[in-house]
Amino acid sequence: MKIKLVVLSVFTFCCLFNAEAQKLKKFGSSIEKKIGPKTIKVPYTDVISYLGYAAEGTEDAVVDDKKFSYIYIWVPAVAPELGVRMLSPVAKTKVKNAISSADYTANKDSKDYFDTYITLERSTILTKEGVTVDGAKNATWTKLASNDDSSEMPKQPSGSSYNSLLRYKSELGSPTKALTVGLYRIGFTTYKTGEVKGTFLAEVAAPVKLPGVVMAKTIEDLKKEL
């Protein structure tokens, strides 16, 4: 009887852990506000969500021996700050008004996931007319920020805090690091060298409303929305 109770308790704990592991909190900015005894991060005003699936052999580039894939973003106005976070696997995480890729729809029941590592990069393309496949290929890309593990994100099914989150504040005095109008991209891979495989949720956020932000997996798809 004691053995059965122990097994039941462990099973219940695992179920609760898995449910909690996929509970995504509101995306908080770097701005903090004190409410009573607690200090909270004020949620971003503008959040765009993208649901995708990373498959073996579909990477866009190899950087420092890591297989990177990209999600492109058109930012139509000056932003004081941008936040980026990535969760894998998506599992039963609920997200409103997310862009759902065809690859995600076809693989949404997959249990595959990966140890996320993300970067935020800014290009030298500052106009919509410059957003082309050749333009993106020949542009100079500057890495603004990166993140591997974030304790602010839900834990993965393994129990490890291997999901990612970063916040980048605009450096107005720098021609390459200010968050101006232009083409940006999220780079993602795994911490360890190897294949990137699994469902993921990627979100880009700002503390102010940025009407006209477009997010897509390829330059071709991005161009269609501009």
Side-chain angles (χ1 to χ4, degrees):
M1 184 64 180
K2 288 184 179 180
I3 294 177
K4 289 183 179 180
L5 288 174
V6 169
V7 171
L8 181 60
S9 297
V10 171
F11 176 76
T12 302
F13 173 79
C14 290
C15 290
L16 290 172
F17 175 80
N18 287 333
E20 181 64 26
Q22 292 304 319
K23 187 176 181 181
L24 190 62
K25 297 179 181 179
K26 288 185 178 180
F27 200 168
S29 68
S30 65
I31 302 171
E32 294 185 339
K33 183 177 181 181
K34 193 167 185 179
I35 300 178
K38 294 184 178 180
T39 299
I40 66 166
K41 291 185 180 298
V42 178
Y44 282 114
T45 302
D46 205 9
V47 181
I48 297 179
S49 305
Y50 180 92
L51 294 167
Y53 178 78
E56 294 182 19
T58 60
E59 66 276 359
D60 296 311
V62 177
V63 182
D64 297 331
D65 295 325
K66 293 180 182 294
K67 297 182 177 182
F68 267 84
S69 294
Y70 298 114
I71 300 172
Y72 294 91
I73 310 151
W74 173 256
V75 177
V78 174
E81 176 177 311
L82 287 178
V84 179
R85 65 181 180 178
M86 179 170 281
L87 172 81
S88 180
V90 176
K92 295 182 179 180
T93 304
K94 295 181 180 180
V95 187
K96 293 182 179 179
N97 304 317
I99 300 167
S100 186
S101 68
D103 287 338
Y104 173 75
T105 301
N107 296 278
K108 62 182 180 180
D109 294 326
S110 171
K111 295 182 180 180
D112 293 325
Y113 64 95
F114 56 98
D115 174 359
T116 66
Y117 173 86
I118 58 174
T119 61
L120 174 63
E121 301 176 44
R122 177 180 183 254
S123 77
T124 46
I125 297 174
L126 306 178
T127 65
K128 290 182 180 180
E129 291 72 25
V131 181
T132 64
V133 173
D134 287 339
K137 182 179 179 180
N138 296 317
T140 297
W141 291 89
T142 301
K143 184 169 75 172
L144 302 176
S146 64
N147 182 259
D148 177 25
D149 305 331
S150 173
S151 60
E152 294 183 54
M153 293 293 287
K155 292 181 179 180
Q156 294 188 321
S158 63
S160 299
S161 297
Y162 287 165
N163 286 311
S164 309
L165 182 153
L166 65 83
R167 300 179 183 89
Y168 179 80
K169 289 185 177 181
S170 180
E171 296 185 22
L172 296 178
S174 171
T176 57
K177 296 185 178 182
L179 294 173
T180 58
V181 175
L183 180 65
Y184 295 75
R185 70 186 182 189
I186 300 170
F188 65 92
T189 183
T190 62
Y191 174 72
K192 294 181 179 179
T193 301
E195 297 295 340
V196 183
K197 184 179 180 181
T199 58
F200 65 86
L201 165 67
E203 292 188 323
V204 177
V208 294
K209 191 68 177 176
L210 298 174
V213 173
V214 180
M215 189 173 179
K217 183 64 181 68
T218 66
I219 290 293
E220 293 93 334
D221 288 341
L222 189 76
K223 188 72 175 179
K224 292 176 184 177
E225 301 296 326
L226 294 179

